[in-house]
Structure formats: C-alpha cells, structure tokens
Amino acid sequence: MNLERLLQLWPKWQWSLTKIAALGALALGILLLLGAIALPWMKVPLGPEETVDAPATSLWKTLFTLGLATALGLRLFGRPFLSMRVVCLMPVLLIAYPQAVIVFDDETSGHLSWLQQQHDTITWLGGDVFLAHGTRYQGQAPAVDMEDPPMRLAAFRPPLVAPWSLGIAEVPDLIWWLGYNPVFCQFVSKGWVFGQLGLLFLLCGWLGWRRKDEEHGSRANEFRLCAATFGVAFLVWFGLACIPITTASYSLKKARVAALNDDAEAGLDHLNSACTAMPALSFDSGVLAQKGSFLLAQGEGHVPEARYQNLLNLERDGYQHRAAELLENLIADGPHNPALDRELTRSLLRVAIDDFNAGNSAEARRRIRQVCVREPTAIQALFHLQLLALQGNHLEENRYCRETIASLYGNFQRREKKAVISAGWLMVAQGELEAGHTLAAAEAREKSRKP
C-alpha cells in the first residue's frame, strides 16, 4: 500500500539526481551561513592564549545577518526574485570586508602587519631560521641568527599613482589597497570563508531546484538576474572603494610638493588628510618619519613624533649610543599613540640586536625582555630571547619561549611556521642536553622533526 502510494506520487515530485544534489547544496549552504554568523572572521592574537575578532566584524556580521533575514522574509512573502537579488548582494558585502580591516582599522592592521613582518623576517631565506645555509652548526643543531627587523613597517605601499595611470605593475598594489594583502590572508578565519562558500552553495542549490521550470526559461532568467545583480553591485563597491585611495594619493602628492617647497605646515596638513582617507597610513613608518620631519621643521621638537625622528637621524648618522638614550627616555615618557609605541618597540628590538652583535648579551637580554613586556606577541623577540637563554644556559626560559612561540603560531596560516617551531624545539633539545637531561633532549629532538 505504501509502495503503491509512493509510486503514484513520484511523477508529481519529479525527484532526480539533480534535485537531490540541489537539496543537498541548499542544506550545506544554510549550515555554512550559520557557521559564518557564529564563528570569528579574523583571529587577532593579543597574547599566547588570547585572540579576538577584528572590531569591524561586528558591523559586518550585523549587515550580513540582516541581509539574509531580509532575503528569507521576501521569499516567504512571495517575492522570490527580489529575495534572490538580496542574496546576490551578500558576496559583495563580504568582498568589502578586508578593506574595512586592513585599510580603515589602523590599530588592528598595524598590529597584524607587525606580526606578519616578524614572521617574514624569521622565515625568509636569509632570516633568523638558518635554513638555506646549512653549513654552519651551533653544537648539534643548525645555527640561528639575530636579524634586524626592517626599518619600515606598512600594510601596503602608499598610493602615489592616480587611477587613470595604473598599469600592470600597480595591479598588486591595487589589490593590497582593497585589503587583500598577506596580512589578511594570514589571519582571516573560518567565518568569512564559510560566508562566501555558504552563499555559493545556497545560490547553486536554488538554481538547481528550479530545474522543473527550465522549459519556461525561469532558471535561465534567474541565472542572468544573479549575474547582473552581482556585477552591478561589485562595480559600485569597486568605485566606492577607490575613492579613499584616490583621495589619499592626491593628499600624499600635495604633501610631497609641500616638502619640496619647505612648507612644513601645509605638508603636515596634507599628510594628516591622507591618513584620514586611508587610516592604515598612520602607522606607515615612512609617514611617521615624514610627520616627525615636518614637526621638527616647525620647531616643535618636544612632540613625540619629532623626538622619534630626531633619534632616527642620530641612528642614521652613526650616533647609536645617543640614539639609544633618547629611545629609552621616549619610552619612559609613554605610552603614546599605538603607531608610535609600535615603532618604539621595533627600534628597541633593533638596539637589542646591536647589543647582541657587539657582544653585550646582558644588555641585549634586558632590552629584549622589555620588548616582550611591551608586546606579548613579539614572536621575533621571543625567538631571540630563546637563543640568549640557550647561550646563557637558562633552561626554563628556553622552554617558556618555545612554548609561547608555538602557541602564538597557532593563529598563523602559513606552513613556514613549522620551520620556526622546529628551530625552537632544536634549541630546547640542545639546552636539555647541556643540562644533562639526555632523555628530554632526545624527545625534543624528535619533536623538531615533525613539529
């Protein structure tokens, strides 16, 4: 009886493999969208065991949730085409998210940019991890070096090219100005990815479900509707996203002209305008240095940015000791704004590395520990501190640094982090061996092979 009834209903349902696949895509899309709402979109490390989402995520999640709720409401009230248009706007909303974090949130962007720069300094071919030059050894382990952090920190190159003069060489810069730089790719979390995939599966399932109306042109029309809605929304977003880039480019050019004309007041105003248009420029080391130069030219040498530029001038001219004294005084007078405090921490790390290279390990250890107190996520400083702990036979500090570095690297996406974790285990293994802990040294050595 039941079988006969099912056979009678089969033509009415018109179930097929396509229909089942569409239903599965719809279900998967809904699950992914729920995950996008529940999970973080960015992982911003604040310490070894603490991460937060980017501040912009709250607003974007609210808009995303409202958009999905609106689409569902329109569908329930018999407005399927309008509902689909709303769904097609959602991917553009997600595409706009990286610029909100990387370009307009200077505090988060600056923090993550320095983390990324430290990772690059440690792992590049001639960096702290001695990978490419395996001929030199320290005891039983490949040697690690102390590399100076680069003088400049920035999320992207300043936009000094007008949109109408963009060429092939500037396309990577344009992508970074839209927020898609290595920093975003490094720390983006599952929520944002699930949102994009969920919308894709939702639309695929929707169009697959409309297969029965294909003979009337319904599914083809809906496909064109989706493509047109997304295309127009994307072009509108791209035009709006280029406005701050163009504004900042214009202001930076004006600041450069003012600098050439020795008009410090106008130059500083134009530089501040550029930072207002693209806030991430405010932590660019070059922009900070130029602000300090303008302030010095105006006779405002007491301002922290001017004092920092003065110590950079001394450092460049070879007066390292005097520059280090000014740096210590400027740090003691803090805290200042986050961008300047970050530059001071980076300068302190450079001074510590100079101390180490000059054979003053005690002073290097003191300053590196100060860096770690100022910035708990300073991976490069922790790596250097572990090296100093190994050389000074401070086994507990050696272990602590390795554990902290491994914990911080849990938030990184790039596979090169395994080299840093492996080097950390090697230094622990050598420290254990020098302390006479043969079994612990063997275990650490084994873990270094498969970190």
Side-chain angles (χ1 to χ4, degrees), residues 1 3 10 17 35 37 52 70 88 123 127 143 248 269 288 298 322 342 348 350 353-354 356 418:
M1 177 179 176
L3 180 60
W10 179 266
L17 184 60
I37 296 172
V52 296
T70 301
C88 291
T123 58
D269 289 340
L288 276 172
Q298 289 180 293
R322 178 58 181 156
R342 187 179 302 112
L348 186 62
R350 286 199 302 271
I353 292 172
D354 289 340
F356 176 80
K418 290 187 176 182

Side-chain angles (χ1 to χ4, degrees), residues 157-171 173-174 177 242 245-250 252-253 256:
R157 290 201 303 175
L160 295 173
V161 180
W164 51 85
S165 62
L166 283 173
I168 297 298
E170 287 79 24
V171 170
D173 289 328
L174 177 60
W177 297 333
C242 287
I245 300 171
T246 305
T247 304
S249 175
Y250 178 78
L252 288 173
K253 290 179 181 178
R256 183 168 57 183

Side-chain angles (χ1 to χ4, degrees), residues 416-435:
E416 296 95 333
K417 66 183 182 181
K418 290 187 176 182
V420 186
I421 298 172
S422 176
W425 275 116
L426 284 172
M427 285 192 280
V428 169
Q430 189 169 345
E432 297 281 6
L433 188 62
E434 291 176 357

Side-chain angles (χ1 to χ4, degrees), residues 280-301:
L281 288 172
S282 63
F283 71 83
D284 188 310
S285 302
V287 173
L288 276 172
Q290 189 61 65
K291 282 185 178 180
S293 296
F294 284 142
L295 289 167
L296 286 173
Q298 289 180 293
E300 299 185 35

Side-chain angles (χ1 to χ4, degrees), residues 112-132:
L112 295 180
S113 293
W114 191 38
L115 280 173
Q116 178 65 34
Q117 186 184 78
Q118 292 177 84
H119 168 73
D120 293 338
T121 303
I122 295 173
T123 58
W124 80 288
L125 198 61
D128 290 304
V129 179
F130 209 77
L131 296 177

Side-chain angles (χ1 to χ4, degrees), residues 70-402:
T70 301
L72 178 60
L74 291 171
R75 185 69 182 89
L76 294 176
F77 283 99
R79 303 294 299 273
F81 292 123
L82 187 56
S83 174
M84 180 169 280
R85 284 186 183 276
V86 173
V87 172
C88 291
L89 295 175
M90 293 296 99
V92 180
L93 178 69
L94 295 181
I95 290 172
Y97 174 74
Q99 193 179 46
V101 176
I102 300 301
V103 177
F104 294 110
D105 184 358
D106 56 315
E107 191 166 341
T108 301
S109 181
H111 177 64
L112 295 180
S113 293
W114 191 38
L115 280 173
Q116 178 65 34
Q117 186 184 78
Q118 292 177 84
H119 168 73
D120 293 338
T121 303
I122 295 173
T123 58
W124 80 288
L125 198 61
D128 290 304
V129 179
F130 209 77
L131 296 177
H133 317 290
T135 57
R136 185 166 65 84
Y137 280 77
Q138 177 176 301
Q140 299 298 317
V144 292
D145 289 325
M146 280 194 181
E147 282 289 315
D148 280 334
M151 289 295 296
R152 180 170 178 266
L153 173 68
F156 41 75
R157 290 201 303 175
L160 295 173
V161 180
W164 51 85
S165 62
L166 283 173
I168 297 298
E170 287 79 24
V171 170
D173 289 328
L174 177 60
I175 295 173
W176 285 31
W177 297 333
L178 297 176
Y180 291 88
N181 67 347
V183 173
F184 178 78
C185 298
Q186 181 81 269
F187 296 100
V188 67
S189 192
K190 295 178 181 177
W192 185 80
V193 178
F194 281 4
Q196 295 283 18
L197 293 176
L199 291 171
L200 176 63
F201 280 107
L202 188 67
L203 288 172
C204 289
W206 184 309
L207 293 173
W209 190 261
R210 298 283 288 175
R211 184 175 183 272
K212 64 177 181 179
D213 299 327
E214 187 177 4
E215 59 188 17
H216 303 297
S218 172
R219 189 170 63 160
N221 288 336
E222 289 186 3
F223 182 80
R224 285 192 289 269
L225 180 144
C226 289
T229 302
F230 174 80
V232 171
F234 181 85
L235 291 175
V236 170
W237 162 76
F238 184 77
L240 294 175
C242 287
I243 292 175
I245 300 171
T246 305
T247 304
S249 175
Y250 178 78
S251 298
L252 288 173
K253 290 179 181 178
K254 287 286 189 180
R256 183 168 57 183
V257 171
L260 294 174
N261 294 331
D262 294 327
D263 190 350
E265 184 177 357
L268 188 59
D269 289 340
H270 291 307
L271 212 54
N272 288 330
S273 297
C275 293
T276 300
M278 298 181 73
L281 288 172
S282 63
F283 71 83
D284 188 310
S285 302
V287 173
L288 276 172
Q290 189 61 65
K291 282 185 178 180
S293 296
F294 284 142
L295 289 167
L296 286 173
Q298 289 180 293
E300 299 185 35
H302 63 282
V303 179
E305 286 82 356
R307 294 170 62 188
Y308 179 66
Q309 180 58 28
N310 188 34
L311 73 87
L312 287 180
N313 292 337
L314 290 171
E315 184 179 347
R316 180 192 59 200
D317 294 338
Y319 299 101
Q320 306 294 338
H321 183 70
R322 178 58 181 156
E325 288 182 354
L326 292 179
L327 176 62
E328 296 278 3
N329 293 336
L330 190 52
I331 289 175
D333 292 340
H336 309 286
N337 63 74
L340 181 57
D341 283 334
R342 187 179 302 112
E343 284 301 303
L344 295 177
T345 303
R346 295 176 65 248
S347 295
L348 186 62
L349 181 58
R350 286 199 302 271
V351 174
I353 292 172
D354 289 340
D355 289 333
F356 176 80
N357 292 335
N360 193 352
S361 298
E363 192 67 11
R365 180 178 292 107
R366 181 187 71 81
R367 284 185 167 132
I368 289 179
R369 283 174 175 168
Q370 189 178 355
V371 170
C372 294
V373 171
R374 288 175 59 85
E375 181 49 72
T377 60
I379 294 177
Q380 189 179 7
L382 285 165
F383 196 75
H384 292 164
L385 185 60
Q386 186 179 9
L387 178 60
L388 287 169
L390 172 61
Q391 293 182 350
N393 295 322
H394 302 293
L395 184 56
E396 288 300 323
E397 190 171 52
N398 189 341
R399 293 169 179 167
Y400 167 78
C401 291
R402 185 219 62 80

